[in-house]
Amino acid sequence: AGGYADGVTESAGGVLSGAGALLGVSTAAGTVIGVTVGAAFGVDTLEMLSGGVASNVTVTFSDDVLTVDSGATATGTMVSNSGGVVVSGSAYATTISSAGSETVASGGYTSGAVVMSGGHETLLSGGTGDALTVSAGGVLSGPGTLTHSNSAAGTVIGVTVGDSLYTDTLEMLSGGVASNVTVFQDSDVLKVDSGATATGTILTSFGSDIVYGSATSTTVSSFSTEKVSSGGKTISALVLSGGTESLASGAIGDALTVSAGGVVSGPGVLTGANAIYGTATSVMVSGGLETIYAGGVASGTRVLNGGQEVISSGGSAVGATVSSGGVEYVRASGKTTGTTVSAGGDQLVSSGGVASGTTVRSGGQQVISSGGIASGTTVSTGGTETVSSGGTVQGATVSAGGTLLV
């Protein structure tokens, strides 16, 4: 204990143990137990060669390094104070404290590492991290791969969740921040807890994320799904063909873009300006805008106070409900079928727009501008259908107490 050894070379079958420190450049193909790499002066290294086994080694000083070569293992390493571990073999249960680092090279593997505040775990391309824990203030960065179950209350940047072998997860805990994470494939999941955030996530085929907190700029690729739970919010997501954005009750989707072949489904709420080129099903629009572009279809939309549904040229809407303070706009070459306009709601049909089978309830209003067409409208008691000069109404049914203004 307290002793120093300088420039040690240990062969296979040898044992180096103790609470002392290694100085200079040391190598080991045997067993190393409990030593400290380095002191408060100089640059010191211990290289574990193929077949070497290190346990409970400590790296505590600036620029001192434990290197774990391919075929070597290290267990229970503790690294801090600008010390480092470089892993090309296997490392288990590393503790990375303030200013310490562990770097996992291509072909390297680290399992059960704990990244404390101020610590940094780096997974290089081809490097793997398994069952990692990143505490608040800790950093995990890629572009390497995470397998099995991982959690982070700190920062995670640029890693890939999952490989082709396992069901793999990364859970961002409250306060955690993820950026540019890729979720690899079937059954692999990024979970964003309440109070956590994820930005720039890429979901590849059959990958998914579950959002209880906040997600921004997610890319939802073919066969992948972003699931936003009650209280969660996704902002500026891009849903590509074959991808699905699922908004649970109480969830919010803000400024989404749904490409042709993509789907956004409710019953959650859309806010901000949302562009639908694919399919929107059973969503609510409150204080936001849902625009259905050419080829896009919206079914069962509920347009609430401050919400707007705009059916543009080539777009269509089926079975919408427009409540008080909501508006449905049917633009040129847009088409809506089976809309229900409730008290305080409005359906406005512009030139070239077509509204079929609208029901206007008490206090609701349908307005047909010049060049617009409404067919099969039912005006209930207290409802109003107004036809401007040049507008067309076909087959309207007006109940007692309903109003048709021509």
Side-chain angles (χ1 to χ4, degrees):
Y4 295 97
D6 193 328
V8 174
T9 299
E10 181 195 61
S11 301
V15 177
L16 171 62
S17 65
L22 295 177
L23 305 181
V25 178
S26 299
T27 61
T31 301
V32 178
I33 304 170
V35 301
T36 295
V37 178
F41 48 87
V43 176
D44 309 296
T45 64
L46 169 60
E47 181 178 3
M48 299 303 301
L49 304 176
S50 181
V53 178
S55 61
N56 301 322
V57 169
T58 300
V59 186
T60 58
F61 295 101
S62 177
D63 299 322
D64 296 331
V65 178
L66 169 65
T67 300
V68 184
D69 288 355
S70 178
T73 63
T75 301
T77 304
M78 299 185 67
V79 56
S80 61
N81 298 329
S82 298
V85 180
V86 178
V87 181
S88 297
S90 299
Y92 300 91
T94 304
T95 299
I96 308 165
S97 301
S98 179
S101 68
E102 180 175 68
T103 300
V104 183
S106 180
Y109 173 83
T110 185
S111 177
V114 177
V115 186
M116 309 295 286
S117 180
H120 194 156
E121 178 85 65
T122 302
L123 306 177
L124 299 180
S125 180
T128 301
D130 183 278
L132 307 187
T133 301
V134 183
S135 302
V139 177
L140 167 64
S141 61
T145 299
L146 294 178
T147 59
H148 291 110
S149 180
N150 305 268
S151 64
T155 300
V156 179
I157 305 169
V159 300
T160 294
V161 179
D163 59 13
S164 60
L165 300 177
Y166 307 108
T167 297
D168 309 297
T169 63
L170 169 61
E171 180 175 5
M172 298 305 301
L173 305 174
S174 181
V177 177
S179 62
N180 301 321
V181 169
T182 298
V183 183
F184 180 63
Q185 64 171 26
D186 188 18
S187 302
D188 297 328
V189 178
L190 170 64
K191 183 180 178 184
V192 184
D193 288 355
S194 178
T197 63
T199 301
T201 303
I202 299 175
L203 306 178
T204 61
S205 292
F206 297 101
S208 66
D209 66 348
I210 303 172
V211 181
Y212 297 89
S214 176
T216 302
S217 299
T218 303
T219 299
V220 186
S221 303
S222 182
F223 302 112
S224 61
T225 302
E226 181 169 65
K227 303 173 184 178
V228 187
S229 298
S230 180
K233 184 175 184 178
T234 184
I235 304 167
S236 298
L238 173 61
V239 185
L240 300 177
S241 179
T244 300
E245 184 77 56
S246 177
L247 305 176
S249 179
I252 295 174
D254 184 271
L256 309 185
T257 299
V258 181
S259 302
V263 176
V264 58
S265 63
V269 176
L270 296 180
T271 62
N274 302 273
I276 311 299
Y277 299 89
T279 301
T281 304
S282 300
V283 297
M284 294 187 287
V285 183
S286 179
L289 171 66
E290 178 190 58
T291 302
I292 318 302
Y293 290 98
V297 178
S299 63
T301 300
R302 295 173 59 194
V303 187
L304 307 179
N305 185 38
Q308 300 176 57
E309 181 179 54
V310 178
I311 301 95
S312 294
S313 177
S316 63
V318 179
T321 300
V322 184
S323 300
S324 179
V327 182
E328 181 181 63
Y329 296 93
V330 188
R331 304 295 196 198
S333 299
K335 182 178 180 179
T336 182
T337 303
T339 297
T340 298
V341 185
S342 300
D346 293 284
Q347 182 187 62
L348 307 178
V349 184
S350 301
S351 178
V354 177
S356 301
T358 300
T359 298
V360 185
R361 299 198 184 280
S362 179
Q365 178 176 235
Q366 180 188 54
V367 178
I368 315 301
S369 298
S370 178
I373 298 172
S375 64
T377 300
T378 298
V379 184
S380 302
T381 300
T384 302
E385 181 179 32
T386 301
V387 186
S388 300
S389 176
T392 301
V393 172
Q394 301 168 342
T397 300
V398 182
S399 301
T403 303
L404 172 61
L405 299 175
V406 180

